[in-house]
Amino acid sequence: MTAPQAVRRVAVWADGDVRAVDPDEPVVTAFDQGLGRGDGVFESVLVTGGRTPRLEAHLARLHRSAQLTALTHPGDDAVRALVAAVVAGWPADVEGACRVFLTRGLGDGSPPTLLALLAAVPAETVRQRSTGIAVVTLSLGVPADFRATAPWLLGGAKTLSYAVNMAAQRHAHAAGADDVVFTSLEGRLLEGPTSTVVWAAGGRLHTPPPGTGILAGTTQARLFAHAEGDGWPTAVTPGTVEDLTAADAVWLLSGIRGAAPVTRLDGVPRGDAGLTQRVQELLTR
Ligand code: PLP
């Protein structure tokens, strides 16, 4: 059972100070541009053993997202202090998902809104990590090379505008699946709505190129670094759904869920050639 102190936490940054607040306390004005327009960026950071061992990679990506969206960033130390405040006293035996939100605040040059939430990782997420996921492929309707030439589409930024991503997951659920792999207009692999696609084929691990406008995954980067160190070569490969069908194994990767093996792709059962254990072990390093 989740300990009562591990249910929900909130901390806010304001005027250079960080404070933990009651999770039911109002912390954002209704006029916040993050609320009205999804005009902001975020990160989801795993809390494990009461700590955030992967925080630095998320800080780096939050910076990149803030740059791409021309948001004022209060600095890494502010984010570190905020995360420390929300994580303090979190029980070591409860995995948590810490979300850091940075929004444009009221806009017009006013200070940004920066806050962090923490809640236990849902049981369904843990289930998907261990028993796998059924996935459907859905087109995002954008040419694979287009977002690299269209900065207004914010390719590579982890923005708060996830309504399309959530709608795609609802579409998958209605079709009896757990999750989605987006494809480009011409059928190239992109990413999941909240995850990076990785597949094993020809003795290598593969993932699609970030130049397609997908988010550069911190979990995929960590997996590839450890795999290379372990003698398992990796490649950035512009794949298609046929590559996933023919692969030895396919995973959706993210910081909170880890590596979820794909057990069914567009309705067709598929295996993992016993490779999931190795991938998950590499991710514990
Ligand atoms: N792609 C998208 C769209 C995501 O939302 C996420 C999750 O944060 C990822 C990829 C995986 O990123 P990470 O491994 O850093 O959690």
Side-chain angles (χ1 to χ4, degrees):
M1 208 180 80
T2 303
Q5 72 270 33
V7 178
R8 288 185 307 143
R9 302 279 190 85
V10 177
V12 293
W13 171 90
D15 303 326
D17 278 335
V18 159
R19 72 190 169 99
V21 296
D22 186 299
D24 294 323
E25 182 181 318
V27 289
V28 180
T29 161
F31 291 95
D32 195 286
Q33 303 280 307
L35 182 64
R37 295 188 163 156
D39 194 357
V41 297
F42 77 108
E43 283 296 323
S44 299
V45 183
L46 183 69
V47 179
T48 176
R51 296 172 49 249
T52 52
R54 322 278 181 231
L55 180 60
E56 292 304 308
H58 292 284
L59 290 180
R61 192 169 60 192
L62 191 69
H63 256 297
R64 224 167 30 249
S65 296
Q67 254 163 21
L68 289 165
T69 52
L71 275 173
T72 304
H73 188 301
D76 286 346
D77 284 346
V79 182
R80 281 195 197 96
L82 186 71
V83 170
V86 87
V87 170
W90 185 261
D93 60 345
V94 179
E95 272 192 329
C98 173
R99 299 215 151 74
V100 177
F101 297 110
L102 174 65
T103 84
R104 205 171 303 281
L106 294 172
D108 292 331
S110 66
T113 298
L114 176 63
L115 53 88
L117 327 176
L118 175 55
V121 174
E124 171 59 12
T125 303
V126 176
R127 197 249 349 126
Q128 293 186 1
R129 191 191 292 162
S130 53
T131 62
I133 49 177
V135 163
V136 291
T137 56
L138 297 177
S139 177
L140 202 56
V142 181
D145 296 331
F146 186 66
R147 285 190 288 182
T149 67
W152 61 91
L153 292 183
L154 298 177
K158 191 166 170 66
T159 76
L160 284 175
S161 310
Y162 263 41
V164 167
N165 305 41
M166 298 299 100
Q169 285 190 330
R170 285 195 299 278
H171 194 83
H173 297 162
D178 299 299
D179 213 331
V180 173
V181 168
F182 285 128
T183 57
S184 71
L185 188 62
E186 46 310 56
R188 297 228 323 246
L189 296 172
L190 296 175
E191 63 187 339
T194 62
S195 59
T196 310
V197 185
V198 170
W199 68 102
R204 269 178 201 277
L205 287 173
H206 303 261
T207 198
T212 53
I214 61 175
L215 193 69
T218 63
T219 316
Q220 171 270 321
R222 195 155 46 84
L223 172 64
F224 277 30
H226 291 314
E228 288 281 347
D230 206 45
W232 195 356
T234 65
V236 172
T237 306
T240 63
V241 177
E242 286 67 42
D243 291 302
L244 295 191
T245 305
D248 298 325
V250 181
W251 302 273
L252 295 191
L253 261 60
S254 64
I256 305 298
R257 189 167 50 178
V262 176
T263 54
R264 186 176 281 269
L265 182 66
D266 287 333
V268 180
R270 57 153 307 118
D272 76 342
L275 295 170
T276 296
Q277 206 181 350
R278 186 173 178 196
V279 163
Q280 291 185 341
E281 192 280 318
L282 288 169
L283 282 175
T284 62
R285 295 185 189 179

